[in-house]
């Protein structure tokens, strides 16, 4: 086999496993609603939604991988809405709020849990919708909204890492702490 033929064969093999690029678009239906269309070159999903959520000028892509597109839309306050679009045929979008981080390897989001002061963060596996919550001591956060005390929140391959700060009105610099939560332990309850 000639080198030229060999290189052509390798090129063909790599082009067969080409990653599908995903997309979304928003189309107006009427004065009250719009349609969001998403998918890739193989399929398209669509769903109608109220115009407030699907405001083209206020919605943006926050995260994405080969399985999900996560859109974010501010509400004009410290809150925001997230639309999670599964890149799978005939799937519906999932709406939630306050998504703080996305683990693109394990398809897990962490969001603020308003319903519990003792467990203020909720993790959701997007493939199964399995949920777990994180116990977090908030007594040092002087803000009503715990998100204001988070310096950074992120995932590595096996853990959720929260860098949080406890600002103090009487000190120049607040105290910064790092909390690490094993994903394996969180979802084994």
């Amino acid at each position: 086999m000639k080198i030229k033929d060999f290189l052509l064969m390798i090129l063909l093999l790599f082009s067969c496993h080409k990653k599908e690029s995903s997309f979304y678009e928003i189309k107006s239906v009427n004065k009250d609603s719009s349609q969001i269309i998403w998918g890739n070159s193989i399929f398209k999903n669509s769903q109608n939604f109220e115009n407030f959520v699907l405001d083209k000028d206020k919605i943006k892509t926050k995260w994405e991988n080969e399985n999900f597109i996560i859109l974010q839309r501010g509400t004009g306050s410290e809150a925001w809405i997230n639309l999670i679009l599964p890149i799978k045929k005939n799937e519906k979008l999932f709406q939630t709020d306050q998504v703080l981080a996305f683990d693109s390897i394990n398809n897990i989001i962490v969001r603020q849990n308003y319903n519990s002061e003792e467990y203020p963060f909720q993790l959701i596996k997007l493939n199964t919708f399995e949920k777990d919550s994180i116990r977090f001591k908030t007594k040092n956060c002087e803000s009503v909204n715990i998100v204001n005390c988070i310096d950074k929140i992120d995932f590595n391959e096996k853990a959720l890492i929260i860098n949080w700060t406890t600002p103090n009105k009487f000190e120049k610099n607040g105290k910064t702490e790092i909390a690490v939560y094993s994903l394996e332990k969180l979802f084994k309850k």
Side-chain angles (χ1 to χ4, degrees):
M1 181 185 281
K2 295 180 183 177
I3 293 178
K4 185 179 177 182
D5 292 335
F6 178 73
L7 292 173
L8 182 61
M9 186 170 64
I10 289 175
L11 182 64
L12 287 171
L13 283 172
F14 280 112
S15 66
C16 290
H17 298 292
K18 185 179 170 188
K19 211 173 170 184
E20 294 292 327
S21 67
S22 54
F23 71 92
Y24 79 92
E25 63 181 300
I26 298 169
K27 293 183 176 180
S28 180
V29 173
N30 57 41
K31 68 177 185 153
D32 297 324
S33 66
S34 292
Q35 182 179 54
I36 186 164
I37 302 163
W38 76 95
N40 58 31
S41 62
I42 298 171
F43 72 91
K44 287 182 183 179
N45 292 331
S46 66
Q47 196 167 333
N48 287 0
F49 240 85
E50 61 185 79
N51 280 335
F52 173 78
V53 174
L54 293 181
D55 186 331
K56 289 182 197 179
D57 297 328
K58 295 183 181 173
I59 201 163
K60 64 180 180 174
T61 303
K62 185 69 178 174
W63 297 284
E64 66 180 299
N65 66 7
E66 64 277 356
N67 300 307
F68 298 94
I69 300 173
I70 301 177
L71 306 177
Q72 185 173 346
R73 192 246 191 260
T75 63
S77 65
E78 288 188 350
W80 57 90
I81 298 168
N82 294 94
L83 300 176
I84 299 170
L85 310 173
I87 307 301
K88 192 173 179 184
K89 188 175 183 172
N90 297 325
E91 289 288 321
K92 297 287 184 191
L93 68 82
F94 170 64
Q95 180 181 345
T96 189
D97 54 7
Q98 302 299 89
V99 174
L100 303 169
F102 173 53
D103 176 355
S104 63
I105 295 168
N106 299 304
N107 293 310
I108 298 172
I109 60 170
V110 61
R111 62 177 295 279
Q112 185 175 3
N113 183 8
Y114 296 106
N115 299 326
S116 174
E117 284 187 31
E118 190 176 359
Y119 294 94
F121 300 111
Q122 182 181 57
L123 283 86
I124 303 172
K125 284 186 179 181
L126 295 176
N127 295 332
T128 63
F129 288 103
E130 183 182 356
K131 296 176 182 175
D132 203 345
S133 296
I134 296 174
R135 182 179 217 114
F136 196 78
K137 294 179 183 177
T138 61
K139 64 183 176 187
N140 293 327
C141 182
E142 292 179 355
S143 175
V144 174
N145 188 346
I146 191 169
V147 171
N148 294 329
C149 291
I150 295 174
D151 184 36
K152 182 179 178 184
I153 185 165
D154 205 358
F155 288 93
N156 68 19
E157 289 184 23
K158 297 182 180 184
L160 171 67
I161 301 161
I162 301 173
N163 293 352
W164 60 287
T165 185
T166 53
N168 189 304
K169 295 174 191 169
F170 305 106
E171 292 180 18
K172 286 185 179 179
N173 296 322
K175 181 180 174 188
T176 300
E177 297 180 31
I178 298 174
V180 179
Y181 299 91
S182 166
L183 296 176
E184 213 173 78
K185 288 181 181 176
L186 278 168
F187 285 102
K188 278 194 170 186
K189 290 181 180 176

